[in-house]
Coordinates of all heavy atoms in Angstrom, one line a residue:
M1 N -35.3 178.3 64.4 CA -34.5 179.6 64.5 C -33.9 179.7 65.9 O -34.6 179.5 66.9 CB -35.4 180.8 64.1 CG -34.7 182.1 64.1 SD -33.8 182.2 62.6 CE -33.0 183.7 62.7
T2 N -32.7 180.1 65.9 CA -32.0 180.3 67.2 C -32.5 181.6 67.9 O -32.6 182.6 67.2 CB -30.5 180.3 67.0 OG1 -30.1 179.1 66.4 CG2 -29.8 180.5 68.3
A3 N -32.7 181.5 69.2 CA -33.1 182.7 69.9 C -31.8 183.6 70.0 O -30.7 183.1 70.1 CB -33.6 182.3 71.3
M4 N -32.0 184.9 70.0 CA -30.9 185.8 70.1 C -31.0 186.6 71.5 O -32.1 186.9 71.9 CB -30.9 186.8 69.0 CG -30.8 186.2 67.6 SD -29.4 185.2 67.3 CE -28.3 186.5 66.8
S5 N -29.9 186.8 72.1 CA -29.9 187.5 73.3 C -30.2 189.0 73.0 O -29.7 189.6 72.1 CB -28.5 187.5 74.0 OG -28.4 188.5 75.0
S6 N -31.1 189.5 73.8 CA -31.5 190.9 73.6 C -30.4 191.9 74.1 O -30.4 193.0 73.7 CB -32.8 191.2 74.4 OG -32.7 191.0 75.8
T7 N -29.5 191.4 75.0 CA -28.5 192.3 75.5 C -27.2 192.3 74.7 O -26.5 193.3 74.5 CB -28.1 191.9 77.0 OG1 -27.8 190.6 77.0 CG2 -29.3 192.2 77.9
T8 N -26.8 191.1 74.2 CA -25.5 191.0 73.4 C -25.7 190.7 71.9 O -24.8 190.9 71.2 CB -24.7 189.9 74.0 OG1 -25.3 188.6 73.8 CG2 -24.4 190.1 75.5
G9 N -26.9 190.3 71.5 CA -27.1 189.9 70.1 C -26.5 188.6 69.8 O -26.5 188.2 68.6
M10 N -26.0 187.9 70.7 CA -25.4 186.6 70.5 C -26.5 185.5 70.5 O -27.5 185.7 71.2 CB -24.4 186.2 71.6 CG -23.2 187.2 71.7 SD -22.1 187.1 70.4 CE -21.1 185.7 70.9
P11 N -26.3 184.4 69.7 CA -27.3 183.4 69.7 C -27.3 182.7 71.1 O -26.3 182.6 71.8 CB -26.8 182.4 68.6 CG -25.4 182.7 68.4 CD -25.2 184.2 68.8
T12 N -28.5 182.3 71.5 CA -28.6 181.5 72.7 C -29.0 180.1 72.4 O -29.7 179.8 71.4 CB -29.6 182.1 73.7 OG1 -30.9 182.1 73.0 CG2 -29.2 183.5 74.1
L13 N -28.5 179.2 73.2 CA -28.7 177.8 73.0 C -29.5 177.2 74.2 O -29.5 177.9 75.3 CB -27.4 177.0 72.9 CG -26.4 177.4 71.7 CD1 -25.2 176.6 71.8 CD2 -27.1 177.2 70.4
S14 N -30.1 176.1 74.0 CA -30.8 175.4 75.2 C -29.7 175.0 76.1 O -28.5 174.9 75.7 CB -31.5 174.2 74.7 OG -30.6 173.2 74.3
S15 N -30.0 174.8 77.3 CA -29.0 174.4 78.3 C -28.3 173.1 77.9 O -27.1 172.9 78.1 CB -29.6 174.2 79.7 OG -30.7 173.2 79.7
G16 N -29.1 172.1 77.3 CA -28.5 170.9 76.8 C -27.4 171.2 75.7 O -26.4 170.5 75.7
E17 N -27.8 172.1 74.8 CA -26.8 172.4 73.7 C -25.6 173.0 74.3 O -24.5 172.7 73.9 CB -27.5 173.3 72.7 CG -28.5 172.7 71.8 CD -29.3 173.7 71.0 OE1 -29.6 174.8 71.5 OE2 -29.6 173.3 69.8
V18 N -25.7 174.0 75.2 CA -24.6 174.6 75.8 C -23.7 173.6 76.5 O -22.5 173.6 76.3 CB -25.0 175.7 76.8 CG1 -23.9 176.2 77.6 CG2 -25.7 176.9 76.0
E19 N -24.3 172.7 77.3 CA -23.5 171.8 78.0 C -22.8 170.8 77.1 O -21.6 170.4 77.3 CB -24.4 171.0 79.0 CG -24.9 171.8 80.1 CD -23.8 172.7 80.8 OE1 -22.7 172.1 81.1 OE2 -24.1 173.9 81.0
R20 N -23.4 170.5 75.9 CA -22.7 169.6 74.9 C -21.5 170.3 74.4 O -20.4 169.7 74.2 CB -23.7 169.2 73.8 CG -23.1 168.4 72.8 CD -24.1 167.8 71.8 NE -23.4 167.0 70.8 CZ -23.2 167.4 69.6 NH1 -23.7 168.5 69.1 NH2 -22.5 166.6 68.7
V21 N -21.7 171.6 74.0 CA -20.6 172.3 73.4 C -19.4 172.5 74.5 O -18.3 172.3 74.2 CB -21.1 173.7 72.9 CG1 -19.9 174.6 72.6 CG2 -22.0 173.5 71.7
L22 N -19.8 172.9 75.7 CA -18.8 173.1 76.7 C -18.1 171.8 77.1 O -16.9 171.8 77.2 CB -19.4 173.7 78.0 CG -20.0 175.1 77.8 CD1 -20.7 175.6 79.1 CD2 -18.9 176.1 77.5
S23 N -18.8 170.7 77.2 CA -18.2 169.4 77.6 C -17.2 168.9 76.5 O -16.3 168.2 76.8 CB -19.2 168.4 77.9 OG -19.9 168.0 76.8
A24 N -17.5 169.3 75.2 CA -16.6 168.9 74.1 C -15.4 169.8 74.0 O -14.5 169.6 73.2 CB -17.4 168.9 72.8
G25 N -15.3 170.8 74.8 CA -14.2 171.7 74.8 C -14.3 172.7 73.6 O -13.3 173.3 73.2
V26 N -15.4 172.8 73.0 CA -15.6 173.6 71.8 C -15.7 175.1 72.2 O -15.2 175.9 71.4 CB -16.8 173.2 71.0 CG1 -17.1 174.1 69.8 CG2 -16.7 171.7 70.6
A27 N -16.2 175.4 73.3 CA -16.5 176.8 73.6 C -16.2 177.2 75.0 O -16.1 176.3 75.9 CB -18.0 177.1 73.3
T28 N -15.9 178.4 75.2 CA -15.9 179.0 76.6 C -17.1 179.8 76.7 O -17.5 180.5 75.8 CB -14.6 179.9 76.7 OG1 -13.5 179.1 76.4 CG2 -14.6 180.5 78.1
R29 N -17.8 179.7 77.8 CA -19.0 180.4 78.1 C -18.8 181.9 77.9 O -18.0 182.5 78.6 CB -19.6 180.0 79.5 CG -21.0 180.4 79.7 CD -21.4 180.0 81.1 NE -21.4 178.6 81.3 CZ -22.4 177.8 81.1 NH1 -23.5 178.2 80.6 NH2 -22.3 176.5 81.4
V30 N -19.6 182.5 77.1 CA -19.6 184.0 76.9 C -20.4 184.7 77.9 O -20.1 185.6 78.5 CB -20.0 184.3 75.4 CG1 -20.1 185.9 75.3 CG2 -19.1 183.7 74.4
G31 N -21.6 184.1 78.1 CA -22.6 184.7 79.0 C -23.5 183.5 79.3 O -23.3 182.4 78.9
D32 N -24.6 183.8 80.0 CA -25.5 182.7 80.4 C -26.2 182.2 79.1 O -27.0 182.8 78.5 CB -26.5 183.3 81.3 CG -27.4 182.2 81.9 OD1 -27.0 181.0 81.8 OD2 -28.5 182.5 82.3
G33 N -25.7 181.0 78.7 CA -26.3 180.4 77.5 C -25.9 180.9 76.2 O -26.5 180.6 75.2
E34 N -24.8 181.7 76.2 CA -24.4 182.3 74.9 C -23.0 181.8 74.5 O -22.1 181.6 75.3 CB -24.3 183.8 75.1 CG -25.6 184.5 75.5 CD -25.5 185.9 75.8 OE1 -24.4 186.5 75.5 OE2 -26.4 186.5 76.4
V35 N -22.9 181.6 73.2 CA -21.6 181.2 72.6 C -21.5 182.0 71.3 O -22.4 182.7 70.9 CB -21.5 179.7 72.3 CG1 -21.5 178.9 73.6 CG2 -22.6 179.3 71.4
H36 N -20.3 182.0 70.7 CA -20.1 182.7 69.4 C -21.0 182.1 68.4 O -21.3 180.9 68.4 CB -18.6 182.5 69.0 CG -18.3 183.3 67.8 ND1 -18.5 182.9 66.5 CD2 -17.7 184.5 67.7 CE1 -18.1 183.8 65.6 NE2 -17.6 184.8 66.3
P37 N -21.5 182.9 67.4 CA -22.4 182.3 66.4 C -21.8 181.1 65.6 O -22.5 180.2 65.3 CB -22.6 183.5 65.4 CG -22.4 184.7 66.3 CD -21.3 184.3 67.3
M38 N -20.5 181.1 65.4 CA -19.9 179.9 64.7 C -19.9 178.7 65.6 O -20.2 177.6 65.2 CB -18.5 180.2 64.3 CG -17.9 179.2 63.4 SD -18.7 179.0 61.8 CE -18.2 180.5 61.0
Q39 N -19.7 178.9 66.9 CA -19.8 177.8 67.9 C -21.2 177.2 67.9 O -21.4 176.0 67.9 CB -19.4 178.2 69.3 CG -17.9 178.6 69.3 CD -17.6 179.3 70.6 OE1 -18.3 180.2 71.1 NE2 -16.4 178.9 71.2
A40 N -22.2 178.1 67.9 CA -23.6 177.7 67.9 C -23.9 176.9 66.6 O -24.6 175.9 66.7 CB -24.5 178.9 68.1
A41 N -23.4 177.4 65.5 CA -23.7 176.7 64.2 C -23.0 175.4 64.2 O -23.6 174.4 63.7 CB -23.2 177.6 63.1
F42 N -21.8 175.2 64.7 CA -21.2 173.9 64.8 C -22.0 173.0 65.6 O -22.2 171.8 65.3 CB -19.8 174.0 65.4 CG -18.7 174.2 64.4 CD1 -18.7 175.3 63.5 CD2 -17.7 173.2 64.3 CE1 -17.7 175.4 62.5 CE2 -16.7 173.3 63.3 CZ -16.7 174.4 62.4
A43 N -22.6 173.4 66.7 CA -23.4 172.6 67.6 C -24.7 172.2 66.8 O -25.1 171.0 66.8 CB -23.8 173.3 68.9
R44 N -25.3 173.2 66.2 CA -26.6 172.9 65.5 C -26.4 171.9 64.3 O -27.2 171.1 64.0 CB -27.2 174.1 64.9 CG -28.0 174.9 65.9 CD -28.8 176.0 65.3 NE -28.0 177.0 64.6 CZ -27.4 178.0 65.2 NH1 -27.6 178.2 66.5 NH2 -26.7 178.9 64.5
H45 N -25.2 172.0 63.6 CA -25.0 171.1 62.5 C -24.2 169.9 62.8 O -23.8 169.1 61.9 CB -24.2 171.9 61.4 CG -25.1 172.9 60.7 ND1 -25.9 172.6 59.7 CD2 -25.3 174.2 61.0 CE1 -26.6 173.7 59.3 NE2 -26.2 174.7 60.1
D46 N -24.0 169.6 64.1 CA -23.3 168.4 64.6 C -21.9 168.3 63.8 O -21.6 167.3 63.3 CB -24.1 167.2 64.3 CG -23.8 166.0 65.2 OD1 -23.3 166.3 66.3 OD2 -24.2 164.9 64.9
A47 N -21.2 169.5 63.8 CA -20.0 169.6 63.0 C -18.8 169.2 63.9 O -17.6 169.6 63.5 CB -19.8 171.0 62.5
F48 N -18.9 168.4 64.9 CA -17.8 167.9 65.6 C -18.3 166.6 66.4 O -19.4 166.4 66.6 CB -17.3 168.9 66.7 CG -18.3 169.3 67.7 CD1 -18.3 168.6 68.9 CD2 -19.2 170.3 67.4 CE1 -19.2 169.0 69.9 CE2 -20.1 170.7 68.4 CZ -20.1 170.1 69.6
Q49 N -17.2 165.8 66.7 CA -17.5 164.6 67.5 C -16.7 164.7 68.8 O -17.3 165.0 69.8 CB -17.3 163.3 66.7 CG -18.2 163.2 65.5 CD -18.0 162.0 64.7 OE1 -17.4 161.0 65.1 NE2 -18.3 162.0 63.4
C50 N -15.4 164.4 68.7 CA -14.6 164.4 69.9 C -14.3 165.9 70.3 O -14.0 166.1 71.5 CB -13.3 163.6 69.7 SG -12.0 164.4 68.8
G51 N -14.2 166.8 69.3 CA -14.0 168.2 69.6 C -12.5 168.6 69.6 O -12.2 169.7 69.8
Y52 N -11.6 167.6 69.4 CA -10.2 167.9 69.4 C -9.8 168.9 68.3 O -9.0 169.8 68.6 CB -9.4 166.6 69.1 CG -7.9 166.7 69.2 CD1 -7.3 166.7 70.5 CD2 -7.1 166.9 68.1 CE1 -5.9 166.9 70.6 CE2 -5.8 167.0 68.2 CZ -5.2 167.0 69.4 OH -3.8 167.2 69.5
C53 N -10.3 168.8 67.1 CA -9.9 169.7 66.1 C -10.8 171.0 66.1 O -10.5 172.0 65.3 CB -10.1 169.1 64.7 SG -11.8 168.8 64.2
T54 N -11.9 171.0 66.8 CA -12.9 172.0 66.6 C -12.5 173.4 66.9 O -12.9 174.3 66.2 CB -14.2 171.6 67.5 OG1 -14.5 170.3 67.2 CG2 -15.3 172.5 67.1
P55 N -11.7 173.7 68.0 CA -11.3 175.1 68.2 C -10.6 175.7 66.9 O -10.8 176.8 66.5 CB -10.4 175.0 69.4 CG -10.9 173.8 70.1 CD -11.3 172.8 69.1
G56 N -9.7 174.9 66.3 CA -9.0 175.3 65.1 C -9.9 175.5 63.9 O -9.8 176.4 63.1
Q57 N -10.9 174.5 63.8 CA -11.8 174.6 62.7 C -12.7 175.9 62.9 O -12.9 176.6 61.9 CB -12.8 173.4 62.8 CG -12.1 172.1 62.7 CD -11.9 171.6 61.2 OE1 -12.1 172.4 60.3 NE2 -11.5 170.3 61.1
I58 N -13.1 176.2 64.1 CA -13.9 177.4 64.3 C -13.1 178.7 64.1 O -13.6 179.6 63.4 CB -14.5 177.3 65.7 CG1 -15.6 176.3 65.8 CG2 -15.1 178.7 66.1 CD1 -16.2 176.0 67.1
M59 N -11.9 178.7 64.5 CA -11.1 179.9 64.3 C -10.8 180.1 62.8 O -10.9 181.2 62.3 CB -9.7 179.8 65.0 CG -9.9 179.9 66.5 SD -8.4 179.6 67.4 CE -7.5 181.1 67.0
S60 N -10.6 179.0 62.1 CA -10.4 179.1 60.6 C -11.7 179.6 59.9 O -11.7 180.4 59.0 CB -9.9 177.8 60.0 OG -8.6 177.5 60.5
A61 N -12.8 179.0 60.4 CA -14.1 179.4 59.8 C -14.4 180.8 60.0 O -14.9 181.5 59.1 CB -15.2 178.5 60.4
V62 N -14.1 181.3 61.2 CA -14.4 182.8 61.5 C -13.5 183.6 60.6 O -14.0 184.6 60.0 CB -14.2 183.1 63.0 CG1 -14.3 184.6 63.2 CG2 -15.3 182.4 63.8
C63 N -12.3 183.3 60.4 CA -11.3 184.0 59.6 C -11.7 184.0 58.1 O -11.7 184.9 57.4 CB -9.9 183.5 59.7 SG -9.2 183.9 61.3
L64 N -12.2 182.8 57.7 CA -12.6 182.6 56.3 C -13.7 183.6 56.0 O -13.7 184.2 54.9 CB -13.1 181.1 56.2 CG -13.7 180.6 54.8 CD1 -13.5 179.1 54.7 CD2 -15.1 181.0 54.7
I65 N -14.7 183.7 56.8 CA -15.8 184.7 56.6 C -15.3 186.1 56.7 O -15.6 186.9 55.8 CB -16.9 184.4 57.6 CG1 -17.6 183.1 57.3 CG2 -18.0 185.5 57.5 CD1 -18.6 182.6 58.3
A66 N -14.5 186.4 57.7 CA -14.0 187.8 57.9 C -13.2 188.2 56.6 O -13.1 189.4 56.3 CB -13.1 187.9 59.1
E67 N -12.5 187.3 56.0 CA -11.7 187.6 54.8 C -12.5 187.5 53.5 O -11.9 187.7 52.4 CB -10.4 186.7 54.8 CG -9.5 186.9 55.9 CD -8.3 185.9 55.9 OE1 -8.2 185.1 55.0 OE2 -7.5 186.0 56.9
G68 N -13.7 187.2 53.6 CA -14.6 187.2 52.4 C -14.3 186.0 51.5 O -14.5 186.1 50.3
R69 N -13.9 184.9 52.1 CA -13.5 183.7 51.2 C -14.6 182.6 51.2 O -14.4 181.6 50.7 CB -12.2 183.1 51.7 CG -11.1 184.1 51.6 CD -9.8 183.5 52.1 NE -8.7 184.5 52.2 CZ -7.5 184.2 51.6 NH1 -7.3 183.1 51.1 NH2 -6.6 185.2 51.7
A70 N -15.7 182.9 51.9 CA -16.7 181.8 52.0 C -17.7 182.0 50.9 O -19.0 182.1 51.1 CB -17.4 181.9 53.3
N71 N -17.3 182.1 49.6 CA -18.1 182.4 48.5 C -18.8 181.2 47.9 O -19.8 181.3 47.1 CB -17.3 183.2 47.4 CG -16.8 184.5 48.0 OD1 -17.5 185.2 48.7 ND2 -15.5 184.7 47.7
S72 N -18.2 180.0 48.1 CA -18.8 178.8 47.5 C -18.4 177.6 48.4 O -17.5 177.7 49.2 CB -18.3 178.6 46.1 OG -16.9 178.3 46.1
E73 N -19.1 176.5 48.2 CA -18.8 175.3 48.9 C -17.3 174.9 48.6 O -16.6 174.5 49.5 CB -19.7 174.2 48.4 CG -19.5 172.8 49.0 CD -20.1 172.6 50.4 OE1 -21.0 173.4 50.7 OE2 -19.8 171.7 51.1
E74 N -16.9 175.0 47.3 CA -15.5 174.7 46.9 C -14.5 175.6 47.6 O -13.5 175.1 48.1 CB -15.4 174.8 45.4 CG -14.1 174.4 44.9 CD -14.0 174.5 43.4 OE1 -14.5 173.6 42.7 OE2 -13.5 175.5 42.9
D75 N -14.8 176.9 47.7 CA -13.9 177.8 48.4 C -13.8 177.4 49.9 O -12.7 177.4 50.5 CB -14.4 179.2 48.3 CG -14.2 179.8 46.9 OD1 -13.5 179.2 46.1 OD2 -14.8 180.9 46.6
I76 N -14.9 177.1 50.5 CA -14.9 176.8 51.9 C -14.1 175.5 52.2 O -13.2 175.5 53.0 CB -16.4 176.6 52.4 CG1 -17.1 177.9 52.5 CG2 -16.4 175.9 53.8 CD1 -18.6 177.8 52.7
R77 N -14.3 174.5 51.3 CA -13.6 173.2 51.5 C -12.1 173.5 51.3 O -11.2 172.9 52.0 CB -14.1 172.2 50.6 CG -15.5 171.7 51.0 CD -16.0 170.5 50.2 NE -17.3 170.1 50.6 CZ -17.6 169.3 51.6 NH1 -16.6 168.8 52.3 NH2 -18.8 169.0 51.9
E78 N -11.7 174.3 50.3 CA -10.3 174.5 50.0 C -9.7 175.3 51.2 O -8.6 174.9 51.6 CB -10.2 175.4 48.7 CG -8.8 175.8 48.4 CD -7.8 174.7 48.2 OE1 -8.2 173.6 47.8 OE2 -6.6 174.9 48.4
F79 N -10.3 176.3 51.7 CA -9.8 177.1 52.7 C -9.6 176.3 54.0 O -8.7 176.5 54.8 CB -10.6 178.4 53.0 CG -10.0 179.4 53.9 CD1 -9.2 180.4 53.4 CD2 -10.2 179.4 55.3 CE1 -8.6 181.3 54.2 CE2 -9.7 180.3 56.1 CZ -8.8 181.3 55.6
M80 N -10.6 175.4 54.3 CA -10.6 174.7 55.5 C -9.7 173.4 55.4 O -9.6 172.6 56.3 CB -12.0 174.3 55.9 CG -12.9 175.5 56.2 SD -12.4 176.4 57.6 CE -12.8 175.2 58.9
S81 N -9.1 173.1 54.2 CA -8.5 171.8 54.0 C -7.2 171.6 54.8 O -6.8 170.5 55.0 CB -8.1 171.7 52.5 OG -7.1 172.7 52.1
G82 N -6.7 172.7 55.4 CA -5.5 172.5 56.3 C -5.9 172.0 57.7 O -5.0 171.7 58.5
N83 N -7.2 172.0 58.0 CA -7.7 171.5 59.3 C -8.1 170.1 59.2 O -9.0 169.7 58.5 CB -8.9 172.4 59.8 CG -8.5 173.8 60.0 OD1 -8.3 174.6 59.0 ND2 -8.3 174.2 61.2
I84 N -7.3 169.2 59.9 CA -7.5 167.8 59.8 C -8.5 167.4 61.0 O -8.3 167.8 62.1 CB -6.2 167.0 60.0 CG1 -5.2 167.5 59.0 CG2 -6.4 165.5 59.9 CD1 -5.6 167.4 57.5
C85 N -9.5 166.6 60.6 CA -10.4 166.1 61.6 C -10.4 164.5 61.6 O -10.7 163.9 60.6 CB -11.9 166.5 61.3 SG -13.1 165.8 62.4
R86 N -9.9 164.0 62.6 CA -9.8 162.5 62.7 C -11.1 161.8 62.8 O -11.2 160.6 62.6 CB -8.8 162.1 63.8 CG -9.4 162.3 65.2 CD -8.4 162.0 66.3 NE -9.0 162.3 67.6 CZ -8.4 162.2 68.7 NH1 -7.2 161.7 68.7 NH2 -9.0 162.5 69.8
C87 N -12.1 162.5 63.2 CA -13.5 162.0 63.4 C -14.3 162.0 62.1 O -15.3 161.3 62.0 CB -14.2 162.7 64.5 SG -13.5 162.5 66.1
G88 N -13.9 162.8 61.1 CA -14.6 162.8 59.9 C -15.9 163.6 59.9 O -16.9 163.3 59.3
A89 N -15.8 164.8 60.6 CA -17.0 165.6 60.7 C -17.0 166.6 59.5 O -17.9 167.5 59.5 CB -16.9 166.5 62.0
Y90 N -16.2 166.3 58.5 CA -16.1 167.2 57.4 C -17.5 167.6 56.7 O -17.7 168.7 56.3 CB -15.2 166.7 56.3 CG -13.8 166.5 56.7 CD1 -13.2 165.3 56.8 CD2 -13.0 167.6 57.1 CE1 -11.9 165.1 57.2 CE2 -11.7 167.5 57.6 CZ -11.2 166.2 57.6 OH -9.9 166.1 58.0
P91 N -18.4 166.7 56.5 CA -19.6 167.1 55.8 C -20.4 168.1 56.5 O -21.1 168.9 55.8 CB -20.4 165.8 55.7 CG -19.4 164.7 55.9 CD -18.4 165.2 56.8
N92 N -20.4 168.2 57.8 CA -21.2 169.1 58.5 C -20.5 170.5 58.8 O -21.2 171.5 59.1 CB -21.6 168.5 59.9 CG -22.4 167.2 59.6 OD1 -22.9 167.0 58.5 ND2 -22.5 166.4 60.7
I93 N -19.2 170.5 58.7 CA -18.5 171.8 58.9 C -18.9 172.9 57.9 O -19.2 174.0 58.3 CB -17.0 171.5 59.0 CG1 -16.7 170.7 60.3 CG2 -16.2 172.8 59.0 CD1 -15.3 170.2 60.4
P94 N -18.8 172.6 56.6 CA -19.2 173.6 55.6 C -20.7 174.1 55.8 O -21.0 175.2 55.6 CB -19.0 172.9 54.2 CG -18.0 171.9 54.5 CD -18.3 171.4 55.9
A95 N -21.5 173.1 56.2 CA -22.9 173.5 56.5 C -23.0 174.6 57.6 O -23.8 175.5 57.5 CB -23.8 172.3 56.8
A96 N -22.2 174.4 58.6 CA -22.2 175.4 59.7 C -21.7 176.7 59.2 O -22.2 177.8 59.6 CB -21.4 174.8 60.9
I97 N -20.6 176.6 58.4 CA -20.0 177.9 57.9 C -21.0 178.6 57.0 O -21.2 179.8 57.1 CB -18.7 177.6 57.2 CG1 -17.7 177.0 58.2 CG2 -18.2 178.8 56.5 CD1 -16.4 176.5 57.6
R98 N -21.7 177.9 56.1 CA -22.6 178.5 55.2 C -23.8 179.2 56.0 O -24.2 180.2 55.6 CB -23.2 177.4 54.2 CG -22.2 177.1 53.1 CD -22.9 176.3 52.0 NE -23.7 175.2 52.5 CZ -23.3 174.0 52.7 NH1 -22.0 173.7 52.5 NH2 -24.1 173.0 53.2
E99 N -24.2 178.5 57.1 CA -25.2 179.1 57.9 C -24.8 180.5 58.4 O -25.5 181.5 58.4 CB -25.6 178.2 59.0 CG -26.7 178.8 59.9 CD -27.0 178.0 61.2 OE1 -27.3 176.8 61.0 OE2 -26.9 178.6 62.3
V100 N -23.6 180.5 59.0 CA -23.1 181.8 59.6 C -22.9 182.8 58.5 O -23.2 184.0 58.7 CB -21.9 181.6 60.4 CG1 -21.3 182.9 60.9 CG2 -22.1 180.6 61.6
T101 N -22.4 182.4 57.3 CA -22.2 183.3 56.2 C -23.5 183.9 55.8 O -23.6 185.1 55.5 CB -21.6 182.6 55.0 OG1 -20.3 182.0 55.4 CG2 -21.3 183.5 53.8
A102 N -24.6 183.1 55.7 CA -25.9 183.5 55.3 C -26.5 184.5 56.3 O -27.2 185.4 55.9 CB -26.8 182.3 55.1
E103 N -26.2 184.3 57.6 CA -26.7 185.2 58.6 C -26.0 186.6 58.5 O -26.6 187.6 59.1 CB -26.5 184.6 60.0 CG -27.4 183.4 60.2 CD -27.0 182.7 61.5 OE1 -26.1 183.1 62.2 OE2 -27.8 181.8 61.9
G104 N -24.9 186.6 57.8 CA -24.2 187.9 57.6 C -23.7 188.5 58.9 O -23.6 189.6 59.2
Ligands
FES1 S1 -14.2 166.3 65.9 FE1 -12.7 164.8 66.5 S2 -10.9 165.4 65.4 FE2 -12.5 166.6 64.6

């Protein structure tokens, strides 16, 4: 289980996880050790490799949930199909999205 910040309610990552996300260009530091829940889920599920596509993947994933379209694996894959990943991180991206959806 990911630790949550008592001040912001954002998930906190280990320093190694934060550095991996930041070095891949996936996230901008929100606070000390804090990133958006979707960014944290992408890191936990290894949903990126080079990180080139990841900002767009994360923005689409956040919108997918906000619009209530993350109802099934098929819906997630269909909604995210416009985001091309040359590294082939596709299997882990829906897992990250499902985790954030489940956390509500
Ligand atoms: S992680 Fe490299 S293009 Fe998607």
Side-chain angles (χ1 to χ4, degrees):
M1 184 76 182
T2 301
M4 304 298 277
S5 167
S6 61
T7 55
T8 66
M10 301 286 281
T12 59
L13 303 177
S14 70
S15 61
E17 290 171 318
V18 169
E19 292 313 313
R20 179 169 179 255
V21 169
L22 293 174
S23 68
V26 175
T28 300
R29 194 180 297 271
V30 175
D32 188 22
E34 299 173 17
V35 295
H36 187 278
M38 189 63 73
Q39 293 169 318
F42 266 62
R44 279 192 298 277
H45 287 275
D46 207 19
F48 61 95
Q49 292 177 28
C50 77
Y52 184 81
C53 72
T54 310
Q57 300 274 12
I58 289 175
M59 291 177 67
S60 292
V62 170
C63 290
L64 180 153
I65 292 171
E67 295 176 2
R69 297 176 189 234
N71 301 316
S72 69
E73 177 86 13
E74 184 176 277
D75 287 349
I76 292 170
R77 290 185 182 277
E78 174 62 25
F79 190 88
M80 297 295 290
S81 65
N83 296 77
I84 307 300
C85 176
R86 67 184 180 184
C87 296
Y90 296 119
N92 299 344
I93 292 171
I97 295 170
R98 285 194 310 273
E99 178 187 304
V100 176
T101 302
E103 291 174 354

